[in-house]
Amino acid sequence: MRLLRPPTGREACNDISRLTMKKIVEFAISSLLRKRQTEQEMRDRLRKRFPNADIEPVVARLKELNYLNDDEFVERFIQYRHLTSPRGKYRLSRELCIKGVAKSLIEKRLATHDESMDLSILAASKWRKIRENDFMRKKAKLMRFLA
C-alpha cells in the first residue's frame, strides 16, 4: 500500500493558489448572481474580500465568459433608470461614473440614447397622474406640461 505524501514546495503553492483562485471565482460569480456590477465594482469587492490575492486573472476570466461587460451594464442601467425613475443625461452620466464606468463608454451610450423614448415615458406617466375626466382637457394639460 502506497502512502500519499503531503505536497511540498512549489506543489503546495500551486495547490493553495488553485484553491484560492477557485474560491475567488465562486465568490465573484455568486456576487454577480445577486447584482449586476461593473468591472470596477467587482475589482473593489474582490480586493475588499481577498486583500492579498491577485484578482486580475479572475476579472479577466469573468470578462472572457462575458459575466462582466461594462457596455451591456451601461445599456441595461439606462433602460432600467428610464423605466423606474427617469433621469437626465447628466445625472445618468454621474451615476455611471460613480460606478467606475469609463467616460468614453458612457458618452457613446448616451449619444445613441433616444430622447423621444424619454418623452414618451414621461408623457405616459403624467397622463396617468392627471385627474381630469374630460379627454380634451386632459390632453391640453399634458400638452402644456410637455411644452
Side-chain angles (χ1 to χ4, degrees):
M1 180 160 106
R2 188 172 161 215
L3 296 175
L4 293 175
R5 63 177 174 77
T8 57
R10 186 171 274 158
E11 294 172 357
C13 289
N14 286 340
D15 286 343
I16 291 170
S17 67
R18 261 190 258 126
L19 288 174
T20 304
M21 185 69 74
K22 184 177 179 184
K23 189 175 180 181
I24 295 172
V25 169
E26 287 174 356
F27 174 78
I29 290 174
S30 69
S31 178
L32 285 170
L33 286 173
R34 285 189 297 276
K35 178 186 169 210
R36 298 287 297 176
Q37 297 173 23
T38 63
E39 282 181 45
Q40 188 61 46
E41 287 177 318
M42 180 56 70
R43 279 191 179 95
D44 293 343
R45 191 172 190 84
L46 291 175
R47 281 190 190 114
K48 185 177 180 182
R49 180 71 182 247
F50 305 99
N52 298 328
D54 182 23
I55 60 166
E56 289 308 314
V58 175
V59 173
R61 180 69 177 151
L62 293 172
K63 284 177 68 174
E64 180 183 312
L65 295 171
N66 205 24
Y67 291 157
L68 279 180
N69 186 343
D70 279 356
D71 195 38
E72 184 179 311
F73 178 86
V74 170
E75 185 65 31
R76 288 181 183 219
F77 184 84
I78 291 171
Q79 288 174 353
Y80 174 75
R81 278 291 188 223
H82 283 298
L83 292 176
T84 58
S85 55
R87 307 219 189 284
K89 285 186 177 186
Y90 178 76
R91 179 81 181 264
L92 285 171
S93 174
R94 290 297 314 141
E95 289 178 3
L96 288 166
C97 279
I98 290 169
K99 291 184 172 292
V101 178
K103 281 204 177 273
S104 59
L105 182 60
I106 295 170
E107 290 171 4
K108 183 179 93 172
R109 280 296 174 188
L110 287 177
T112 61
H113 177 68
D114 186 18
E115 291 208 16
S116 63
M117 188 173 125
D118 295 343
L119 287 176
S120 64
I121 291 171
L122 186 62
S125 173
K126 184 66 176 176
W127 182 264
R128 288 189 301 270
K129 292 177 184 176
I130 297 174
R131 302 278 182 212
E132 189 68 51
N133 291 334
D134 184 27
F135 176 78
M136 294 307 287
R137 283 187 175 174
K138 193 172 186 177
K139 182 178 173 183
K141 283 186 178 184
L142 179 64
M143 295 307 247
R144 283 193 301 270
F145 174 75
L146 292 174

mmCIF file of all heavy atoms in Angstrom, residues 2 21 28 45 50 62 68 106 113 117 120 132 143:
data_model
loop_
_atom_site.group_PDB
_atom_site.id
_atom_site.type_symbol
_atom_site.label_atom_id
_atom_site.label_comp_id
_atom_site.label_asym_id
_atom_site.label_seq_id
_atom_site.Cartn_x
_atom_site.Cartn_y
_atom_site.Cartn_z
ATOM 1 N N ARG A 2 0.584 2.162 -0.877
ATOM 2 C CA ARG A 2 1.400 3.351 -1.037
ATOM 3 C C ARG A 2 0.781 4.512 -0.272
ATOM 4 O O ARG A 2 -0.401 4.795 -0.424
ATOM 5 C CB ARG A 2 1.467 3.667 -2.524
ATOM 6 C CG ARG A 2 2.391 4.734 -2.863
ATOM 7 C CD ARG A 2 2.505 4.798 -4.389
ATOM 8 N NE ARG A 2 3.043 6.101 -4.707
ATOM 9 C CZ ARG A 2 2.736 6.814 -5.738
ATOM 10 N NH1 ARG A 2 1.862 6.352 -6.598
ATOM 11 N NH2 ARG A 2 3.283 7.965 -5.950
ATOM 12 N N MET A 21 -7.887 30.646 -5.990
ATOM 13 C CA MET A 21 -8.469 31.128 -7.244
ATOM 14 C C MET A 21 -9.896 30.620 -7.405
ATOM 15 O O MET A 21 -10.800 31.375 -7.754
ATOM 16 C CB MET A 21 -7.611 30.672 -8.424
ATOM 17 C CG MET A 21 -8.060 31.231 -9.743
ATOM 18 S SD MET A 21 -7.786 32.985 -9.882
ATOM 19 C CE MET A 21 -6.036 33.003 -10.107
ATOM 20 N N ALA A 28 -17.035 35.683 -6.760
ATOM 21 C CA ALA A 28 -17.366 36.671 -7.789
ATOM 22 C C ALA A 28 -18.656 36.300 -8.522
ATOM 23 O O ALA A 28 -19.525 37.146 -8.739
ATOM 24 C CB ALA A 28 -16.212 36.797 -8.778
ATOM 25 N N ARG A 45 -14.801 45.005 -4.859
ATOM 26 C CA ARG A 45 -15.404 43.987 -3.998
ATOM 27 C C ARG A 45 -14.429 42.840 -3.722
ATOM 28 O O ARG A 45 -14.298 42.369 -2.593
ATOM 29 C CB ARG A 45 -16.671 43.473 -4.662
ATOM 30 C CG ARG A 45 -17.546 42.621 -3.806
ATOM 31 C CD ARG A 45 -18.857 42.375 -4.563
ATOM 32 N NE ARG A 45 -19.822 41.765 -3.728
ATOM 33 C CZ ARG A 45 -20.629 42.410 -2.895
ATOM 34 N NH1 ARG A 45 -20.568 43.708 -2.801
ATOM 35 N NH2 ARG A 45 -21.501 41.770 -2.175
ATOM 36 N N PHE A 50 -10.617 39.728 -0.585
ATOM 37 C CA PHE A 50 -9.347 38.993 -0.679
ATOM 38 C C PHE A 50 -8.205 39.994 -0.868
ATOM 39 O O PHE A 50 -7.712 40.171 -1.985
ATOM 40 C CB PHE A 50 -9.383 38.009 -1.857
ATOM 41 C CG PHE A 50 -10.536 37.053 -1.824
ATOM 42 C CD1 PHE A 50 -11.674 37.288 -2.580
ATOM 43 C CD2 PHE A 50 -10.478 35.918 -1.044
ATOM 44 C CE1 PHE A 50 -12.744 36.410 -2.552
ATOM 45 C CE2 PHE A 50 -11.547 35.028 -1.013
ATOM 46 C CZ PHE A 50 -12.690 35.283 -1.766
ATOM 47 N N LEU A 62 -13.749 36.380 -15.906
ATOM 48 C CA LEU A 62 -15.158 36.795 -15.903
ATOM 49 C C LEU A 62 -15.504 37.577 -17.163
ATOM 50 O O LEU A 62 -16.599 37.441 -17.705
ATOM 51 C CB LEU A 62 -15.475 37.621 -14.655
ATOM 52 C CG LEU A 62 -15.418 36.878 -13.325
ATOM 53 C CD1 LEU A 62 -15.554 37.850 -12.167
ATOM 54 C CD2 LEU A 62 -16.490 35.806 -13.255
ATOM 55 N N LEU A 68 -18.781 39.822 -16.899
ATOM 56 C CA LEU A 68 -18.518 41.243 -16.671
ATOM 57 C C LEU A 68 -18.448 41.916 -18.034
ATOM 58 O O LEU A 68 -17.574 41.605 -18.837
ATOM 59 C CB LEU A 68 -17.184 41.456 -15.954
ATOM 60 C CG LEU A 68 -17.155 41.285 -14.463
ATOM 61 C CD1 LEU A 68 -15.749 41.528 -13.941
ATOM 62 C CD2 LEU A 68 -18.120 42.199 -13.770
ATOM 63 N N ILE A 106 -19.594 55.794 -21.533
ATOM 64 C CA ILE A 106 -20.822 56.489 -21.114
ATOM 65 C C ILE A 106 -21.277 57.439 -22.214
ATOM 66 O O ILE A 106 -22.452 57.454 -22.595
ATOM 67 C CB ILE A 106 -20.591 57.265 -19.797
ATOM 68 C CG1 ILE A 106 -20.299 56.304 -18.660
ATOM 69 C CG2 ILE A 106 -21.796 58.124 -19.462
ATOM 70 C CD1 ILE A 106 -19.827 56.987 -17.390
ATOM 71 N N HIS A 113 -28.570 57.110 -27.176
ATOM 72 C CA HIS A 113 -29.827 57.029 -26.432
ATOM 73 C C HIS A 113 -30.883 57.904 -27.097
ATOM 74 O O HIS A 113 -30.639 59.049 -27.449
ATOM 75 C CB HIS A 113 -29.594 57.477 -24.993
ATOM 76 C CG HIS A 113 -30.825 57.496 -24.169
ATOM 77 N ND1 HIS A 113 -31.491 56.346 -23.823
ATOM 78 C CD2 HIS A 113 -31.521 58.510 -23.638
ATOM 79 C CE1 HIS A 113 -32.543 56.673 -23.108
ATOM 80 N NE2 HIS A 113 -32.573 57.975 -22.980
ATOM 81 N N MET A 117 -37.810 58.507 -26.484
ATOM 82 C CA MET A 117 -38.254 57.488 -25.542
ATOM 83 C C MET A 117 -38.475 58.113 -24.165
ATOM 84 O O MET A 117 -39.429 57.793 -23.468
ATOM 85 C CB MET A 117 -37.210 56.385 -25.442
ATOM 86 C CG MET A 117 -37.642 55.187 -24.639
ATOM 87 S SD MET A 117 -36.411 53.903 -24.778
ATOM 88 C CE MET A 117 -36.080 53.615 -23.068
ATOM 89 N N SER A 120 -41.824 59.949 -24.245
ATOM 90 C CA SER A 120 -42.992 59.073 -24.243
ATOM 91 C C SER A 120 -43.229 58.476 -22.853
ATOM 92 O O SER A 120 -44.364 58.358 -22.410
ATOM 93 C CB SER A 120 -42.852 57.966 -25.289
ATOM 94 O OG SER A 120 -41.775 57.129 -24.967
ATOM 95 N N GLU A 132 -58.419 64.318 -14.481
ATOM 96 C CA GLU A 132 -59.379 65.046 -15.309
ATOM 97 C C GLU A 132 -60.228 64.020 -16.056
ATOM 98 O O GLU A 132 -59.699 63.072 -16.629
ATOM 99 C CB GLU A 132 -58.621 65.943 -16.287
ATOM 100 C CG GLU A 132 -59.467 66.914 -17.053
ATOM 101 C CD GLU A 132 -60.072 68.001 -16.190
ATOM 102 O OE1 GLU A 132 -59.330 68.648 -15.441
ATOM 103 O OE2 GLU A 132 -61.307 68.176 -16.252
ATOM 104 N N MET A 143 -50.280 68.543 -22.964
ATOM 105 C CA MET A 143 -49.546 69.325 -23.964
ATOM 106 C C MET A 143 -48.836 70.515 -23.310
ATOM 107 O O MET A 143 -47.694 70.815 -23.644
ATOM 108 C CB MET A 143 -50.470 69.804 -25.075
ATOM 109 C CG MET A 143 -51.038 68.667 -25.891
ATOM 110 S SD MET A 143 -49.739 67.607 -26.494
ATOM 111 C CE MET A 143 -49.845 67.920 -28.199
#
